[in-house]
Amino acid sequence: MKGRLILLDHIGTVEAACILVDGKLDDLLIDTSDAPRPGAIFRGICDRPIKGQGGMMLRLPGGDTGFLRHGKGLRPGQPLLVQVTGYAESGKAVPVTDRVLFKSRYAIVTPGKPGTNISRQITDDDTRDTLLATAHEAYDGPHGLILRSSCDGADAAEIADDIAAMAALSDAVLADAEGTQPEALTEGDGPHALAWRDWHLSAQVVTDAGCFEDHDVLDQIGDLANALVPLGEANMYVEPTRALVAVDVNTGNDTSPAAALKANLAACRALPRALRLRGLGGQVTVDFVSMSKAHRKQVEQSLRAAFKADAIETSLVGWTPMGLFELQRKRERRPHSAEMLRDI
């Protein structure tokens, strides 16, 4: 099927959502039940400071441990509202922040940061003025408010209802900030809610049971268990290790003089999708095909353009002395294990 399609279904009993672009899997969310979801809000209890780092370890519900990077001024036993920012590496504490946000389709409520702002992606002055008027009519409380790019062209009443719902949720959560025991105050959004909230709404949405199988999604998900990513004549291998994600780019059977640059540019374009579909983050090290230093700048520009269009925050660190390229990618998703993917 041509065009962009959003599918909401289940894999077994697990909730999942995906985007197809011209029938090809472009994004994938699979729920996890054994780890706190990013976006979940907890009342944590400060446990012990991390000397030399300025951080604080916190007790979270269910016996989990959280790590707050900036814990200056906090004391053990103090309750603190925190929000999960990503998935923890194996054996490590859950990363959290005390800058709690309440995010929905149209609005983000920002406690402690007053003022109303509009996404920079909305550039039309008349549209911005109309949205400001809608926001001021819908909410006049103490919290800050950000109107997302999805507000452009949306119904004013829907935007106002969304603002009101997020403001009410923020007030309810903040009212539960005090206490002596850790408590889960929100669970964070699952795949279906995230798809509704964050994916572009101009696409057709299919919610029929079994739609993954009807659109051959399960086979494409199963293929992700293979580290090999075809790039036309070339290919790359994307392999997570305990320390980092290793990416190896090869020219394949193409032996032409331009093969190296051609393969490397193809890898740049394909890498965000390959990482996104596998849920991979953290340190990523790319071993491009050997090329001249004159071509490195062109490859770096291609990488920058490719990741600019990707929703997950990724920092391009740069070249190592050995000619590898390093990236640092936020761990917003739980990696999909090869064993799990093969079982689909």
Side-chain angles (χ1 to χ4, degrees):
M1 178 179 177
K2 291 292 184 181
R4 186 179 170 91
L5 194 65
I6 294 174
L7 306 181
L8 309 183
D9 201 357
H10 288 76
I11 298 175
T13 60
V14 178
E15 189 176 286
C18 75
I19 297 178
L20 295 180
V21 177
D22 296 337
K24 184 178 180 181
L25 191 63
D26 190 68
D27 205 348
L28 174 66
L29 299 172
I30 302 176
D31 203 8
T32 56
S33 59
D34 60 343
R37 292 170 174 163
I41 299 174
F42 299 139
R43 181 206 301 137
I45 304 298
C46 296
D47 190 18
R48 56 185 175 84
I50 304 299
K51 294 181 179 180
Q53 297 185 28
M56 174 67 74
M57 305 300 291
L58 299 98
R59 290 188 289 118
L60 301 179
D64 286 327
T65 299
F67 174 66
L68 179 67
R69 186 174 297 276
H70 304 290
K72 185 177 180 180
L74 299 175
R75 64 183 187 283
Q78 177 181 342
L80 186 69
L81 275 185
V82 293
Q83 189 165 35
V84 179
T85 59
Y87 286 102
E89 298 178 60
S90 178
K92 295 189 178 182
V94 177
V96 298
T97 178
D98 57 353
R99 298 175 181 178
V100 176
L101 303 176
F102 297 84
K103 185 176 182 180
S104 190
R105 179 184 293 184
Y106 299 120
I108 303 174
V109 173
T110 58
K113 292 187 176 181
T116 301
N117 295 285
I118 298 175
S119 169
R120 294 178 181 176
Q121 295 182 36
I122 301 177
T123 58
D124 181 76
D125 290 339
D126 290 340
T127 300
R128 294 178 68 88
D129 290 342
T130 300
L131 290 174
L132 278 175
T134 300
H136 291 150
E137 184 175 342
Y139 181 69
D140 63 354
H143 308 314
L145 184 65
I146 300 171
L147 297 186
R148 305 181 66 198
S149 59
S150 54
C151 291
D152 193 5
D155 181 75
E158 290 186 9
I159 296 173
D161 288 345
D162 205 44
I163 293 171
M166 285 298 97
L169 177 61
S170 64
D171 288 341
V173 170
L174 292 173
D176 276 340
E178 297 300 322
T180 59
Q181 295 298 322
E183 183 176 347
L185 303 179
T186 72
E187 295 182 351
D189 291 329
H192 290 184
L194 286 173
W196 173 86
R197 190 189 80 184
D198 290 338
W199 288 350
H200 199 279
L201 300 178
S202 63
Q204 181 183 348
V205 180
V206 179
T207 61
D208 300 335
C211 61
F212 274 17
E213 185 172 0
D214 294 341
H215 292 272
D216 298 322
V217 170
L218 297 179
D219 288 341
Q220 293 191 56
I221 294 175
D223 290 342
L224 298 175
N226 192 340
L228 176 65
V229 180
L231 303 171
E233 289 287 330
N235 60 65
M236 68 179 177
Y237 286 83
V238 179
E239 299 178 287
T241 71
R242 185 174 179 86
L244 50 81
V245 178
V247 180
D248 181 34
V249 185
N250 307 286
T251 58
N253 295 324
D254 189 348
T255 58
S256 66
L261 181 60
K262 182 179 177 182
N264 290 338
L265 293 178
C268 292
R269 294 189 293 269
L271 186 55
R273 175 180 176 271
L275 296 174
R276 186 168 64 240
L277 290 178
R278 293 165 174 79
L280 298 175
Q283 182 180 341
V284 180
T285 300
V286 186
D287 184 9
F288 285 108
V289 182
S290 296
M291 58 184 158
S292 67
K293 289 188 177 180
H295 285 154
R296 283 189 178 185
K297 186 174 182 180
Q298 189 174 348
V299 166
E300 188 170 350
Q301 289 173 340
S302 182
L303 266 180
R304 197 171 303 279
F307 280 101
K308 185 177 181 180
D310 190 64
I312 298 176
E313 180 183 339
T314 304
S315 299
L316 275 61
V317 179
W319 300 94
T320 72
M322 295 183 66
L324 306 176
F325 195 91
E326 293 184 331
L327 306 95
Q328 186 68 35
R329 186 169 174 85
K330 189 174 181 181
R331 297 180 185 273
E332 284 192 2
R333 301 180 180 181
R334 190 72 177 271
H336 308 316
S337 69
E339 291 76 16
M340 183 272 287
L341 294 169
R342 290 192 188 99
D343 289 341
I344 291 175

